[in-house]
Amino acid sequence: MLNSRLFPCNVLLLMTLISGTAFAAPAEEYVYDLVHSSVSFKARHLDISWIHGRFNEVDGKFSIDREDPSKSSFQLTIKADSVDTANAARDEHLRQPDYFDTKQFPTIEFRSTKVKAIDGGYEVTGDFTMHGVTRSITIELMGGKAIESRGVRRVGFSTELRLKRSDYKFDPKAIGPIGDEAIVIIDCEGMSQ
Amino acid sequence: MPDVWLLTTSFVTAMLSAGVSCLLAYRRGTAPDGSGTAAVQLRPLFSLSCGVLAGMAVQGILPAFPLVSALDRWLAIGLPMLMLADVAGCFLHQQLAVRWIKVVAAVAVAPVILYGSVHLQVMPDASAQSGSSSFGLLPLAAAGGVLLLLTLLGDSSAAKPDLQRTAAGIYSGLILLTVQVTAVVVMLGGWIGCGAAALPVTGAGTGLLLAGLLLRQHAAVTVVIRWASRSLGGIIVLGHYFGRLTVAQAALILAAAVIPLLVLRSGRGLQSRGLWVSAVLTLLFLSLVLLPAILEFQRRMAVLLS
């Protein structure tokens, strides 16, 4: 008798738990799609023009919680050795200790610490590590629209940030002809795993 | 492009500072070629330090803390550690203990320079496909070996009190020239900072050498040989593992330095054919390194840096 009386309550509790789990959408997990993404940069040369370059080897993963954006996270790891400015000699020079010092600092990394939804994307605060120096930066990741293409769920983001090389302890003597400030342009696509 | 005027000023300042401080340190008159007390042995070390620091001050070279770059670790830990070992050697009378202190210091500099770099990181062994990993033992052993070889050879070659003054000057000059050429090659390869940091050392060495020869102070000349050898080891390791100094260039530079050091170690004087043969070989090896580096620089780098 006792069991039969409790039965409806148990069923109700179970259904509540199941429905709660079912309706709370899980965070979407994505990995960086190297083929459809780019991390590029430009810096002033002699303060008259711009030199453009890109990093060819990038890895990353994003976790996007649409219902609670603060639980989202973004990680990006750039191989500094993969710097490409369309000139092999310059690339070799950029890898040396006067610039990126890639034997000492092989990667450039970003790890988000705080994510907030904004109109058209996310405001992401995180630790940006370059040349052995970690600084907290805030970027506006615009986009976030997800689509399904050929069975793969994709999401895209774009951002542009301005960094001062002197903030990351690059050799001040090497800053001269190349401007201190570099503009980094990130256009990335994530693929669901 | 490096500021040639600044580099020249740094070299001359280091040379004058080391030379003048050496002349002042010996002004009270020490017997020529006298070794004697620790205070006497410390004088050329002090003069060399004065010259190096003055040259570095002109260029504004100051290690950045925390010491994240290899050059900073060499300047702030490596060189002072080797200097402390030398200073300890002035006070200790047991030659075996002195030698061991210097061996330990020289070998310990290798991990200091390579610390935190890709050379010492545990990397997955891609070729093995077995999930095994490899630690940078080879770079550590090679860097330690170069530093140890040049430290011990520099010490044993310098310990020839009966060496003729002119011969000592030529040998010391050859070692200093080797350091300078190595610094230039590293600069031509694209790492200007490392080559520039070597200039105060060669400048101070030149000043100390000239003052030592003028005062007939063998202790000053031996310090030049010892410290030029140690500095050369540091620049080779830095240039190869962080710059673009190739194994072939490093080998030729090592040969250029080791030959005069070995001849010097054998105790042959000015009349010896060995001196002139070693001088010719050193110059030959250095030109084999320097000339292609200049041509390569003109072909690829000069346009970029202009």
Side-chain angles (χ1 to χ4, degrees):
Chain A
M1 283 296 281
L2 190 66
N3 284 347
S4 62
R5 257 187 230 165
L6 282 175
F7 178 72
C9 299
N10 287 343
V11 170
L12 194 65
L13 180 66
L14 192 63
M15 284 178 70
T16 309
L17 284 171
I18 291 168
S19 63
T21 313
F23 291 121
E28 301 162 24
E29 304 289 338
Y30 296 94
V31 291
Y32 184 90
D33 176 11
L34 190 62
V35 179
H36 300 101
S37 307
S38 80
V39 176
S40 57
F41 60 89
K42 61 178 184 176
R44 297 287 283 171
H45 180 237
L46 300 171
D47 208 22
I48 55 170
S49 66
W50 295 92
I51 296 173
H52 290 252
R54 56 174 288 150
F55 292 99
N56 292 327
E57 289 180 46
V58 184
D59 194 12
K61 55 184 179 182
F62 330 123
S63 173
I64 301 167
D65 192 322
R66 305 269 178 195
E67 291 189 356
D68 186 358
S70 66
K71 288 181 181 166
S72 302
S73 67
F74 297 87
Q75 288 182 28
L76 203 65
T77 303
I78 300 164
K79 270 198 171 180
D81 246 344
S82 70
V83 65
D84 179 357
T85 61
N87 182 298
R90 179 165 54 207
D91 297 343
E92 272 299 296
H93 193 212
L94 288 175
R95 290 181 189 117
Q96 296 215 39
D98 282 342
Y99 290 92
F100 285 108
D101 198 357
T102 60
K103 298 292 181 199
Q104 187 71 53
F105 312 114
T107 57
I108 299 166
E109 294 176 11
F110 177 78
R111 300 272 179 276
S112 67
T113 53
K114 195 172 110 185
V115 180
K116 179 172 94 173
I118 57 169
D119 190 22
Y122 297 93
E123 186 185 88
V124 182
T125 302
D127 294 329
F128 183 76
T129 305
M130 181 168 68
H131 205 249
V133 177
T134 301
R135 292 174 71 92
S136 180
I137 61 167
T138 299
I139 54 176
E140 286 189 350
L141 272 182
M142 305 313 289
K145 181 184 169 188
I147 60 149
E148 194 96 7
S149 171
R150 295 181 184 180
V152 179
R153 192 174 169 83
R154 293 178 170 276
V155 67
F157 290 104
S158 293
T159 191
E160 192 175 293
L161 60 147
R162 289 168 182 268
L163 302 168
K164 281 192 172 178
R165 291 192 289 144
S166 55
D167 288 342
Y168 293 87
K169 294 190 177 169
F170 278 77
D171 187 349
K173 293 187 197 76
I175 286 172
I178 309 290
D180 186 17
E181 188 177 76
I183 298 173
V184 181
I185 305 120
I186 302 173
D187 288 301
C188 64
E189 247 180 54
M191 301 186 296
S192 63
Q193 287 172 298
Chain B
M1 285 290 270
D3 186 340
V4 177
W5 174 247
L6 182 71
L7 296 181
T8 309
T9 312
S10 168
F11 182 90
V12 173
T13 306
M15 187 175 74
L16 290 175
S17 303
V20 170
S21 62
C22 181
L23 292 174
L24 290 174
Y26 285 107
R27 74 185 187 281
R28 294 193 176 223
T30 306
D33 292 337
S35 47
T37 63
V40 174
Q41 291 176 42
L42 281 173
R43 287 177 193 178
L45 278 176
F46 171 76
S47 302
L48 186 82
S49 305
C50 284
V52 171
L53 291 174
M56 284 170 65
V58 168
Q59 286 191 58
I61 297 172
L62 198 66
F65 290 89
L67 302 167
V68 289
S69 83
L71 182 60
D72 285 342
R73 288 193 297 275
W74 164 245
L75 292 174
I77 302 175
L79 278 177
M81 195 155 71
L82 293 172
M83 180 62 83
L84 276 176
D86 246 18
V87 170
C90 295
F91 290 97
L92 291 172
H93 297 293
Q94 291 178 318
Q95 286 307 307
L96 190 65
V98 171
R99 178 162 289 191
W100 272 107
I101 288 171
K102 289 180 178 178
V103 165
V104 169
V107 171
V109 170
V112 166
I113 293 177
L114 298 176
Y115 174 79
S117 70
V118 293
H119 305 296
L120 291 192
Q121 283 174 4
V122 178
M123 307 289 275
D125 194 343
S127 59
Q129 300 278 326
S130 60
S132 62
S133 60
S134 59
F135 180 72
L137 277 178
L138 184 64
L140 208 54
V146 167
L147 287 158
L148 185 62
L149 171 75
L150 286 169
T151 299
L152 292 182
L153 205 53
D155 277 13
S156 59
S157 305
K160 296 289 172 192
D162 55 340
L163 194 67
Q164 291 174 358
R165 194 162 62 138
T166 314
I170 292 171
Y171 283 121
S172 310
L174 286 173
I175 310 294
L176 281 173
L177 183 68
T178 307
V179 178
Q180 191 55 65
V181 167
T182 310
V184 171
V185 170
V186 172
M187 282 173 109
L188 291 171
W191 188 4
I192 295 166
C194 180
L199 274 169
V201 177
T202 49
T206 307
L208 187 61
L209 177 64
L210 293 174
L213 292 174
L214 189 72
L215 296 169
R216 295 172 184 269
Q217 287 298 330
H218 185 71
V221 180
T222 62
V223 163
V224 173
I225 295 170
R226 289 207 313 259
W227 276 89
S229 306
R230 285 162 168 74
S231 304
L232 181 64
I235 298 166
I236 288 175
V237 171
L238 285 167
H240 176 63
Y241 286 109
F242 296 91
R244 291 294 177 269
L245 194 71
T246 63
V247 173
Q249 287 173 321
L252 281 170
I253 289 164
L254 258 182
V258 165
I259 289 169
L261 285 172
L262 282 175
V263 177
L264 183 58
R265 193 166 177 262
S266 69
R268 291 178 185 155
L270 189 61
Q271 285 74 34
S272 163
R273 192 183 293 170
L275 189 150
W276 303 109
V277 170
S278 69
V280 169
L281 283 175
T282 297
L283 293 175
L284 177 70
F285 288 146
L286 291 182
S287 56
L288 283 175
V289 175
L290 186 60
L291 294 178
I294 291 172
L295 292 174
E296 179 70 3
F297 173 80
Q298 285 174 339
R299 193 173 69 84
R300 301 180 71 186
M301 301 289 287
V303 181
L304 294 172
L305 295 171
S306 61

